[in-house]
Amino acid sequence: MAFYYTEPSRTFNEFLLLPNLTTKECTPQNVDLSTPITKFKKGEKPAISLNIPFSSAVMQAVSDHHMAVALAQCGGISFIFGSQSIESQATMVRKAKAYKAGFVVSRSNLTPSHTLKDILELKEQTGHSTVAITEDGSAKGKLLGIVTGRDYRISRDSLDKPVSEIMTPFSSLIVGKSGLSLSEANDLIWEHKLNCLPIVDENQNLDFLVFRKDYDSRKNNPHSLLDANKSYIVGAGINTKDYKERVPALVEAGVDVLVIDSSDGFSEWQKDTVQYVKENYDNVYIGAGNVVDKEGFRYLVEAGADFIKVGIGGGSICITREQKGIGRGQASAVIEVAAARDEYFKETGIYVPICSDGGIVHDYHVTLALAMGADFVMLGRYFARFDESPTKKVKIGNNFVKEYWGEGSNRARNWQRYDTGGKQSLVFEEGVDSYVPYAGSLRENMDRTLHKIKSTMCNCGSLSITELQQKARITLVSATSLVEGGAHDVILKESSMAAE
């Protein structure tokens, strides 16, 4: 006989937080939103923690290298979409990792015998306008010169002009010596009005480049999510079909965290994928999912997953529930999986973070997800609205919108995400092709969202996500209280009237 849950499947809309005492220290500027993304043992620290509890969805319409950099600058992580060629995805990871805070290992290098054509082709490939010219064309070779956009004019210089005639030679460069601090490097940049300072060793071999623009970036992005080498931490999505080819390429490109992208993660295919990564790579972390209950959580954790993604059918462009009758209200899923996570922690002393993926419409839903036990959230529609997402901005009527489609739509052609060992194509859709209202820059919107979350946490008397999860008081709401919670029994002014 089938098992029946007697409790309804509930969404975030059905809950509200009750305030606790707000002490004088509970102000938004005192709230710490850091949170783990990789599992860790009791008494130890996680290998990677986010500075804000946000990740962007593994979607063509959301997460490319531009989003990866923009979100990492805010303190979150982006998972670059995997429904593309292995080479293309690895290139995106490399580009995101190349945006380095501080000392940069040169990613664009040529020899003096190369030509202007090679310079232009490299610039097109990497987006870098500064090219280090070394004796052997390597990132660590003997530095002979530098080429920037100021060293040539495409309208006048021949494409076959050798780099040796274009570059600023080493003898004319201001350089720093290996071992100097970042502060000392920045002093040289400002003293000599440089845009780029090469750092070389005693044999003139290139170690790093330090850029003026990175100084401004660091000042403007104090919560940037960085690795030990001051590169942005970057995630990437994989599937359970070509992982043995895709994972090595992504690791070589420098990826920090992987996640298996699937609508249903409670499968032997996910177990095999997680175990492959764990058996072959020591310092690569992998999340698995999606699941909606204790059984799914346990299965993937015991396979070795570093974090678990929670939610089926709750995304704004997801129609899995409609098409297959599979899924669960996002609040119910998070509550049960969080309880399973806490139970596992008590049994083993190992804490496995969980990510709430889907079901978030309003900013306060993020705070609810965290209060219910999620360590961080994954959002698609939220990020798809911004300048940094990879989709087109178009005008419909008098409004600007951005394209937004699901990985389960025919447009995405991501059959690997939904394959269960059958036909290698998408037989039916589990996502739609749509638009979302254009919202401007990520930073502007993210700052507003973060302030709302911090303000709500202060109302709950909490200065950290862990404290919120311990102190939160959550109540179910009725249909009539939902009406009461919005503007009601008044005549709202039209925007034209308000302008007068």
Side-chain angles (χ1 to χ4, degrees):
M1 180 179 175
F3 177 80
Y4 289 88
Y5 280 83
T6 56
E7 174 68 20
S9 180
R10 299 193 180 279
T11 69
F12 292 130
N13 273 330
E14 298 176 73
F15 294 91
L16 287 175
L17 289 157
L18 271 63
N20 290 323
L21 174 66
T22 302
T23 63
K24 291 180 180 179
E25 67 174 354
C26 281
T27 59
Q29 60 264 34
N30 289 336
V31 174
D32 178 9
L33 290 179
S34 62
T35 188
I37 190 175
T38 59
K39 64 184 178 185
F40 58 96
K41 294 181 180 179
K42 185 176 182 179
E44 298 181 356
K45 291 184 177 180
I48 302 177
S49 290
L50 305 179
N51 293 328
I52 60 171
F54 283 83
S55 63
S56 65
V58 191
M59 300 175 67
Q60 295 173 6
V62 178
S63 298
D64 64 355
H65 54 290
H66 297 295
M67 181 62 72
V69 170
L71 186 49
Q73 287 176 338
C74 293
I77 189 171
S78 185
F79 289 95
I80 294 174
F81 70 94
S83 51
Q84 59 179 314
S85 72
I86 295 173
E87 180 182 357
S88 176
Q89 188 184 23
T91 297
M92 286 188 181
V93 170
R94 286 192 188 91
K95 287 182 178 180
K97 294 299 290 185
Y99 280 84
K100 199 168 180 181
F103 294 101
V104 180
V105 175
S106 180
R107 300 285 182 123
S108 294
N109 311 284
L110 292 174
T111 68
S113 61
H114 280 92
T115 64
L116 176 57
K117 181 181 179 182
D118 297 315
I119 292 283
L120 298 177
E121 288 178 350
L122 187 59
K123 182 179 179 181
E124 176 68 22
Q125 177 185 340
T126 64
H128 301 158
S129 58
T130 299
V131 180
I133 309 304
T134 59
E135 195 169 62
D136 60 0
S138 72
K140 295 293 185 178
K142 184 176 182 179
L143 183 65
L144 301 181
I146 292 285
V147 174
T148 70
R150 296 178 299 178
D151 293 317
Y152 57 85
R153 296 182 65 179
I154 299 175
S155 60
R156 294 189 178 183
D157 291 318
S158 171
L159 291 179
D160 60 2
K161 190 172 185 178
V163 167
S164 58
E165 297 180 19
I166 300 171
M167 69 183 189
T168 300
F170 182 82
S171 58
S172 299
L173 294 175
I174 302 296
V175 299
K177 296 297 183 181
S178 297
L180 87 171
S181 68
L182 186 57
S183 177
E184 291 170 333
N186 284 320
D187 287 343
L188 284 173
I189 287 175
W190 286 99
E191 179 185 348
H192 296 281
K193 299 180 180 179
L194 305 173
N195 288 321
C196 173
L197 176 72
I199 308 298
V200 298
D201 65 14
E202 65 275 9
N203 297 317
Q204 202 176 311
N205 294 316
L206 179 62
D207 266 349
F208 303 103
L209 301 175
V210 179
F211 292 93
R212 175 192 290 262
K213 62 180 177 63
D214 284 343
Y215 175 82
D216 296 329
S217 176
R218 289 191 300 280
K219 297 288 284 186
N220 294 329
N221 302 294
H223 301 298
S224 291
L225 191 65
L226 305 171
D227 63 18
N229 296 316
K230 304 299 183 183
S231 291
Y232 292 118
I233 288 178
V234 178
I238 61 173
N239 61 65
T240 59
K241 301 305 170 186
D242 66 5
Y243 61 91
K244 291 184 180 179
E245 294 77 39
R246 188 173 294 271
V247 171
L250 295 174
V251 171
E252 190 277 330
V255 74
D256 298 284
V257 187
L258 300 169
V259 66
I260 305 173
D261 182 33
S262 174
S263 63
D264 176 14
F266 194 4
S267 75
E268 292 182 343
W269 289 289
Q270 286 226 0
K271 178 181 179 181
D272 290 345
T273 305
V274 170
Q275 290 181 339
Y276 168 82
V277 172
K278 288 300 175 183
E279 289 169 1
N280 289 278
Y281 301 97
D282 293 330
N283 296 313
V284 177
Y285 305 96
I286 181 169
N290 287 17
V291 300
V292 294
D293 57 15
K294 173 181 178 178
E295 290 77 13
F297 171 84
R298 281 273 182 168
Y299 184 80
L300 294 178
V301 166
E302 289 169 1
D306 290 292
F307 71 88
I308 302 297
K309 205 144 63 79
V310 180
I312 295 177
S316 60
I317 42 69
C318 183
I319 55 174
T320 295
R321 298 181 195 174
E322 178 183 309
Q323 291 282 53
K324 298 168 69 175
I326 290 286
R328 194 178 193 185
Q330 189 65 15
S332 294
V334 170
I335 291 168
E336 179 170 333
V337 175
R341 184 266 320 280
D342 294 343
E343 181 182 279
Y344 186 81
F345 180 54
K346 288 180 181 178
E347 291 177 9
T348 66
I350 299 173
Y351 186 92
V352 182
I354 63 172
C355 168
S356 177
D357 176 19
I360 291 175
V361 179
H362 306 292
D363 287 345
Y364 82 87
H365 287 171
V366 176
T367 318
L368 268 172
L370 297 174
M372 290 173 175
D375 296 280
F376 62 103
V377 299
M378 177 173 281
L379 304 176
R381 181 192 59 84
Y382 179 88
F383 290 111
R385 303 173 301 150
F386 302 148
D387 291 319
E388 292 82 359
S389 74
T391 60
K392 296 178 182 178
K393 181 177 76 172
V394 297
K395 192 172 185 179
I396 297 181
N398 294 321
N399 299 308
F400 283 102
V401 296
K402 294 204 75 176
E403 294 180 305
Y404 180 49
W405 61 93
E407 290 298 298
S409 67
N410 281 327
R411 180 172 182 175
R413 300 180 182 276
N414 189 4
W415 66 267
Q416 294 96 332
R417 190 176 196 269
Y418 302 90
D419 178 58
T420 53
K423 186 177 180 181
Q424 294 191 2
S425 63
L426 198 63
V427 179
F428 60 91
E429 291 185 288
E430 293 188 42
V432 299
D433 194 347
S434 62
Y435 297 105
V436 289
Y438 168 67
S441 72
L442 183 152
R443 172 52 62 85
E444 178 184 348
N445 286 274
M446 179 60 74
D447 285 348
R448 185 182 303 114
T449 296
L450 292 174
H451 190 79
K452 286 183 185 179
I453 293 170
K454 291 179 178 181
S455 180
T456 304
M457 289 174 63
C458 288
N459 292 142
C460 296
S462 303
L463 291 175
S464 69
I465 293 173
T466 300
E467 189 176 8
L468 176 67
Q469 292 168 350
Q470 294 169 346
K471 289 185 175 181
R473 296 189 296 157
I474 304 172
T475 181
L476 277 167
V477 297
S478 66
T480 52
S481 67
L482 285 174
V483 175
E484 182 184 65
H488 61 91
D489 300 314
V490 295
I491 301 172
L492 293 177
K493 295 180 180 179
E494 298 291 342
S495 58
S496 57
M497 293 173 62
E500 297 175 357

